[in-house]
Amino acid sequence: GEDVEQSLFLSVREGDSSVINCTYTDSSSTYLYWYKQEPGAGLQLLTYIFSNMDMKQDQRLTVLLNKKDKHLSLRIADTQTGDSAIYFCAESSTGGGNKLTFGTGTQLKVEL
Amino acid sequence: GAGVSQSPSNKVTEKGKDVELRCDPISGHTALYWYRQSLGQGLEFLIYFQGNSAPDKSGLPSDRFSAERTGGSVSTLTIQRTQQEDSAVYLCASSFDSQGAGEQYFGPGTRLTVT
């Protein structure tokens, strides 16, 4: 079955860039997503990338996809304390109703 | 416009009782998804609806779990004879449809505690 892996923790200083990595195994993945979850809150969709793209930029967020290695990353430029949260990558396949398979989540801590 | 809403936000129940969790999707969204988030298992897919039909129920953990959707809108997830391992946050999401990018928007979740 599908498997999505992420490192559990990342700590960065305010103003630095954060890079959160994700690997997946399903070669039929069509879309790959990044979600943010703040304490006690639901999941917020940050951005997504279609599998035939290798990069997508949206303000401070840059998503890089290496389809050959099945590796996805999320770069947050100029990280702020408000970016402290858990970040989940997820994949879906068309034909599967777009149900999401989530990674384990990476807890990002931004220090002053 | 309103986002996805879920009720109740918190539910404490005794082992063996039945519970019903409700999800109100974004108006006009035809696809609705249920997920579960627990410490041991992370975020898991349970079931999804396209309209009132459930093409994929593969994530339901046992036959104690069922869900329905009526009028292409509200969905109810029912857990019968609750067990302690059912304790989790149950998340509902909706999307415009179940094709294409299918961006899913999540509700705040229902935290279920089985004592």
Side-chain angles (χ1 to χ4, degrees):
Chain A
E2 306 90 350
D3 196 20
V4 182
E5 298 284 342
Q6 298 178 240
S7 52
L8 291 179
F9 298 103
L10 176 65
S11 180
V12 299
R13 288 187 182 276
E14 189 178 39
D16 287 352
S17 292
S18 308
V19 179
I20 302 171
N21 294 301
C22 171
T23 58
Y24 61 98
T25 59
D26 188 357
S27 57
S28 67
S29 295
T30 309
Y31 292 96
L32 295 128
Y33 306 80
W34 284 103
Y35 280 85
K36 176 182 180 183
Q37 187 175 40
E38 295 181 88
L43 289 161
Q44 176 194 354
L45 176 63
L46 290 176
T47 187
Y48 67 92
I49 189 167
F50 187 45
S51 60
N52 70 352
M53 298 170 62
D54 52 19
M55 182 178 120
K56 181 177 180 181
Q57 188 153 3
D58 184 359
Q59 299 183 337
R60 291 190 298 122
L61 305 179
T62 302
V63 179
L64 295 177
L65 174 61
N66 181 327
K67 195 173 181 181
K68 173 176 167 289
D69 294 339
K70 299 189 182 68
H71 181 268
L72 180 76
S73 67
L74 174 70
R75 179 177 179 269
I76 306 172
D78 186 26
T79 314
Q80 303 297 306
T81 55
D83 295 324
S84 292
I86 300 177
Y87 291 80
F88 292 92
C89 66
E91 64 87 25
S92 70
S93 305
T94 53
N98 277 329
K99 66 182 182 185
L100 297 173
T101 299
F102 286 91
T104 48
T106 299
Q107 181 158 7
L108 174 65
K109 182 178 178 183
V110 182
E111 298 175 324
L112 296 171
Chain B
V4 177
S5 61
Q6 293 186 245
S7 60
S9 54
N10 278 285
K11 176 73 177 179
V12 180
T13 190
E14 290 180 355
K15 178 181 170 182
K17 302 274 187 172
D18 298 353
V19 295
E20 284 190 352
L21 312 180
R22 178 186 166 106
C23 172
D24 272 283
I26 293 171
S27 177
H29 280 192
T30 64
L32 186 149
Y33 302 78
W34 284 99
Y35 296 88
R36 177 168 77 170
Q37 185 172 26
S38 59
L39 279 176
Q41 302 297 322
L43 271 158
E44 307 171 276
F45 165 80
L46 297 178
I47 184 172
Y48 93 91
F49 291 88
Q50 178 59 50
N52 292 333
S53 301
D56 189 342
K57 308 177 185 181
S58 63
L60 295 177
S62 74
D63 58 8
R64 295 186 296 104
F65 287 71
S66 63
E68 66 175 13
R69 189 179 186 197
T70 54
S73 181
V74 171
S75 176
T76 303
L77 177 70
T78 301
I79 309 173
Q80 295 178 309
R81 304 181 303 281
T82 51
Q83 303 295 311
Q84 287 186 330
E85 63 261 29
D86 300 335
S87 295
V89 177
Y90 289 81
L91 294 166
C92 174
S94 71
S95 66
F96 183 71
D97 63 29
S98 58
Q99 302 300 315
E103 298 153 64
Q104 294 180 29
Y105 298 90
F106 282 78
T110 293
R111 181 175 297 278
L112 175 67
T113 304
V114 182
T115 59

